[in-house]
């Protein structure tokens, strides 16, 4: 199965590296198209075997799966520019572009082309993405093919397209929100006299523990919070202060601001 990845930036590069390092695809079956060549050294550093080409679009005609990883506003242009190479009606067109819809992908390819809208996040670089997939005109086997690729790179779920904007906010943007929490907690630690690296380790291990607890017991987060908040104790003082400053409201407002339909 031949895969061409169009765009070798954060997403395209991470998908290529993830698949190559993991060994789930033969490196010679993956072609990454970088249009100016600036990403070639970075990809080569990860694996000498990744087939990176510069502005050579010939593999578009032979790929079984085309993964489009350019900026959203470029998707229409690249599909239209290379339309003559995209003649295989069974080729799976997979776009990771955040706001490009299945209807648009359909319009820019052909009416019965199997098209996929995939929502990863940057943790795909360490094969820990939360990835959602919606599809149109794809049969079960084609959906499984795309599922198999992305399940090498983290956790995958199929969703209806109408949920994609909200899911994108929670996961693709959400990873940045999580980093901002980590940074804020580190800054608090530093103000209290903890060294930055020590603060980072403390916050990361605490978050890992929180995730493992929720995954192990399936509890609602509030049930775990109840176990921490001793009546009259110190945790509730901190939590209430955070809520007075609008913590929950700020998170919800941020998620909704990123929920672009
Ligand atoms: N970053 C993220 O967290 C997420 C991104 N996405 C989506 O992934 C897509 C890619 O984003 P990201 O990887 O961050 O962006 P990047 O800018 O890192 O990567 C895009 C790449 O496409 C290249 N490119 C542009 N035009 C062409 C062309 N004609 N042929 C070949 N390559 C081309 C760019 O090259 P150059 O820079 O040299 O012009 C660049 O390397 C976007 O549509 C985004 O919405 C989805 C979920 C999360
Ligand atoms: O901020 C963005 O637009 C892209 C899409 C989701 C994450 N990054």
């Amino acid at each position: 199965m031949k895969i061409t990845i169009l765009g070798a930036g954060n997403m395209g590069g991470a998908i290529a590296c993830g698949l190559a390092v993991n060994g789930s695809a033969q490196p010679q079956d993956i072609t990454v198209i970088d249009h100016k060549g600036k990403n070639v050294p970075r990809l080569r550093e990860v694996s000498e075997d990744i087939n990176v080409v510069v502005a050579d679009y010939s593999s578009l005609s032979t790929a079984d799966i085309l993964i489009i990883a350019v900026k959203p506003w470029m998707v229409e242009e690249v599909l239209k520019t290379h339309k003559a190479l995209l003649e295989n009606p069974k080729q799976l067109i997979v776009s990771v572009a955040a706001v490009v819809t299945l209807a648009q992908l359909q319009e820019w390819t052909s009416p019965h082309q199997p098209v996929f809208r995939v929502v990863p996040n940057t943790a795909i670089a360490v094969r820990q993405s939360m990835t959602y997939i919606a599809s149109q005109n794809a049969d079960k086997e084609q959906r499984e093919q795309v599922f198999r690729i992305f399940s090498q790179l983290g956790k995958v779920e199929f969703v209806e397209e109408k949920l994609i904007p909200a899911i994108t906010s929670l996961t693709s943007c959400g990873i940045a929100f999580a980093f901002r929490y980590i940074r804020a907690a580190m800054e608090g630690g530093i103000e209290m006299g903890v060294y930055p690296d020590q603060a980072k380790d403390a916050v990361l291990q605490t978050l890992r523990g929180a995730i493992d607890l929720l995954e192990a017991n399936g509890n609602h987060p509030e049930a775990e919070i109840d176990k921490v908040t001793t009546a009259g104790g110190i945790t509730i003082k901190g939590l209430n202060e955070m809520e007075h400053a609008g913590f929950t409201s700020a998170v919800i407002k941020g998620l909704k601001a990123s929920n672009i339909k």
Side-chain angles (χ1 to χ4, degrees):
M1 189 178 54
K2 298 213 175 298
I3 303 171
T4 288
I5 302 169
L6 181 57
N10 293 310
M11 276 299 139
I15 293 168
C17 294
L19 293 175
V21 169
N22 171 284
S24 52
Q26 296 294 322
Q28 64 270 24
D29 285 343
I30 307 174
T31 302
V32 189
I33 304 175
D34 189 16
H35 76 151
K36 292 178 190 152
K38 72 177 181 200
N39 293 298
V40 177
R42 184 170 55 86
L43 295 178
R44 284 266 172 276
E45 218 172 273
V46 176
S47 168
E48 274 298 317
D49 297 329
I50 297 178
N51 183 26
V52 198
V53 296
V54 180
D56 172 357
Y57 296 88
S58 54
S59 67
L60 293 183
S61 63
T62 51
D64 300 298
I65 301 182
L66 168 60
I67 300 177
I68 304 167
V70 297
K71 292 292 188 195
W73 56 90
M74 291 175 174
V75 177
E76 178 176 10
E77 187 192 315
V78 295
L79 282 172
K80 288 187 172 168
T81 305
H82 302 292
K83 200 168 176 49
L85 294 171
L86 303 171
E87 294 280 81
N88 175 1
K90 294 212 162 110
Q91 185 175 59
L92 311 186
I93 305 290
V94 177
S95 160
V96 299
V99 290
V100 173
T101 64
L102 290 171
Q104 286 174 312
L105 293 171
Q106 207 73 74
E107 185 191 330
W108 301 333
T109 54
S110 68
H112 301 293
Q113 198 79 36
V115 290
F116 292 79
R117 188 171 170 190
V118 171
V119 181
N121 65 28
T122 51
I124 204 162
V126 289
R127 302 201 297 279
Q128 285 293 349
S129 176
M130 181 64 241
T131 302
Y132 290 89
I133 305 178
S135 69
Q136 196 162 280
N137 281 324
D139 61 29
K140 188 165 177 280
E141 197 189 320
Q142 292 169 327
R143 284 199 300 274
E144 280 171 4
Q145 279 179 321
V146 175
F147 182 91
R148 274 198 295 275
I149 290 177
F150 287 93
S151 60
Q152 310 295 327
L153 304 169
K155 195 171 169 181
V156 184
E157 256 182 54
F158 274 94
V159 283
E160 284 184 52
E161 191 180 26
K162 67 179 184 206
L163 266 185
I164 285 210
I167 282 298
T168 304
S169 172
L170 278 172
T171 58
S172 294
C173 310
I175 197 164
F177 305 153
F179 290 133
R180 190 53 71 83
Y181 168 79
I182 292 168
R183 189 188 86 172
M186 282 175 64
E187 285 176 353
I190 294 163
E191 191 177 328
M192 294 184 292
V194 182
Y195 286 101
D197 286 350
Q198 218 176 357
K200 186 173 156 203
D201 285 348
V203 176
L204 294 189
Q205 182 56 24
T206 301
L207 287 178
R208 253 182 227 117
I211 291 164
D212 285 354
L213 267 177
L214 290 179
E215 286 192 339
N217 59 26
N219 273 346
H220 189 283
E222 203 56 37
E224 292 302 320
I225 290 175
D226 273 350
K227 293 181 193 168
V228 189
T229 47
T230 305
I234 53 177
T235 310
I236 193 65
K237 288 185 174 60
L239 278 175
N240 284 348
E241 194 60 34
M242 286 181 192
E243 290 305 339
H244 292 320
F247 179 79
T248 300
S249 169
V251 171
I252 293 170
K253 279 187 176 172
L255 287 165
K256 285 168 76 175
S258 295
N259 177 28
I260 306 294
K261 297 196 171 69

